[in-house]
Amino acid sequence: MDKIIISEMIKKLRESYHLSQDELGEKMNVSGKTIHSWEKGRTEPNMGKVQMLADFFGVSTDTMIYGYKNDDANRMDIIFNDYFPLKYASNLSAGSLDEILESDPDSVVYVPIRFQSIKNHIYAFKVNGTSMNNIIADGSIVIADTDIDKNQIKDGTIVVALVDGLATIKRLYQNSNQITLMPDSTDKSHKPIMIDPTITTVTILGKVIWHMNPDDIFKLY
């Protein structure tokens, strides 16, 4: 069985994002002391928190628990201060469905170098709204990977979805009878968008694999 190294991964990824234990704790809705305990291996996050960590750092839950595999083994040694530019579209709605606006010439975000090998099938968007603010703050830049098997997306995955030409970012839940685009917000006024797939076509533009909040963007400039 693979060795569980989640404590090492939390510390490595936290430091790569230049976050203190208190700052990461705030994003995970736990205390900085809890993050310290996780990193020391004294306690472990439950699977809900593992998923939150994986979503936040843009990795899979398996990577969060067991580390990088095979050809990716050396990725732990990447210097995360290295970034490359990626243009982003704006007005990706975190609320109701809305039109995505094309990139302006100056709409560029610098994303970690680890994504450069897949840059041909990732797209960046600036989020507008608070319906995902438990994970993704209003004004954040997100990266969505379009090179995925859309039929095997797990329930709860954060996706960029297109419905009748209008887009939103939500957690996706689906079965043969209904597709639900679910908010994840401190504001409980945000309601899920429920769609009958026999009537309306929902296109998954991509799975969200990384995001940068407005404070992080400020630190880069």
Side-chain angles (χ1 to χ4, degrees):
M1 180 178 288
D2 293 329
K3 180 183 177 183
I4 294 175
I5 61 167
I6 188 168
S7 59
E8 298 173 27
M9 288 296 294
I10 293 171
K11 182 176 181 180
K12 189 80 173 182
L13 290 167
R14 174 181 64 78
E15 291 179 344
S16 76
Y17 276 65
H18 309 290
L19 295 172
S20 69
Q21 290 176 338
D22 286 339
E23 287 171 331
L24 180 58
E26 184 177 350
K27 295 178 184 299
M28 296 298 114
N29 297 321
V30 299
S31 68
K33 290 182 179 179
T34 297
I35 300 296
H36 177 78
S37 181
W38 291 350
E39 292 183 355
K40 290 295 185 182
R42 295 170 184 161
T43 58
E44 291 183 356
N46 62 33
M47 283 308 298
K49 294 301 183 185
V50 172
Q51 184 66 63
M52 286 181 67
L53 287 162
D55 289 342
F56 178 76
F57 289 122
V59 299
S60 68
T61 53
D62 279 353
T63 297
M64 202 70 236
I65 297 169
Y66 301 112
Y68 294 111
K69 307 296 181 184
N70 302 324
D71 293 340
D72 289 337
N74 292 327
R75 289 175 68 184
M76 289 292 287
D77 297 324
I78 289 175
I79 298 173
F80 281 80
N81 286 334
D82 290 341
Y83 296 83
F84 72 97
L86 191 66
K87 284 190 173 183
Y88 64 84
S90 60
N91 199 46
L92 172 58
S93 175
S96 57
L97 296 163
D98 204 348
E99 182 181 5
I100 294 175
L101 303 180
E102 294 184 4
S103 301
D104 292 328
D106 296 331
S107 297
V108 174
V109 63
Y110 286 84
V111 300
I113 198 71
R114 69 182 186 270
F115 295 119
Q116 192 162 26
S117 63
I118 60 171
K119 66 180 181 181
N120 291 332
H121 52 82
I122 60 175
Y123 293 90
F125 306 90
K126 185 173 183 179
V127 174
N128 175 26
T130 61
S131 80
M132 292 296 294
N133 70 356
N134 275 330
I135 305 295
I136 300 169
D138 181 20
S140 295
I141 305 294
V142 298
I143 291 179
D145 187 355
T146 63
D147 187 25
I148 54 174
D149 185 342
K150 297 177 177 61
N151 293 319
Q152 297 190 12
I153 295 178
K154 296 179 181 178
D155 278 352
T157 298
I158 299 175
V159 301
V160 179
L162 195 67
V163 182
D164 291 336
L166 301 177
T168 189
I169 178 170
K170 291 286 191 297
R171 289 194 183 276
L172 176 71
Y173 296 86
Q174 57 186 335
N175 55 47
S176 59
N177 299 316
Q178 181 173 280
I179 292 173
T180 302
L181 301 173
M182 182 71 69
D184 190 346
S185 176
T186 57
D187 181 353
K188 300 309 178 185
S189 68
H190 292 292
K191 304 300 181 185
I193 300 172
M194 292 175 286
I195 300 162
D196 182 344
T198 64
I199 299 174
T200 304
T201 299
V202 178
T203 301
I204 305 304
L205 296 183
K207 171 185 175 181
V208 173
I209 60 172
W210 177 87
H211 77 277
M212 175 187 286
N213 69 37
D215 289 340
D216 293 331
I217 293 170
F218 177 77
K219 291 173 186 177
L220 285 178
Y221 295 94

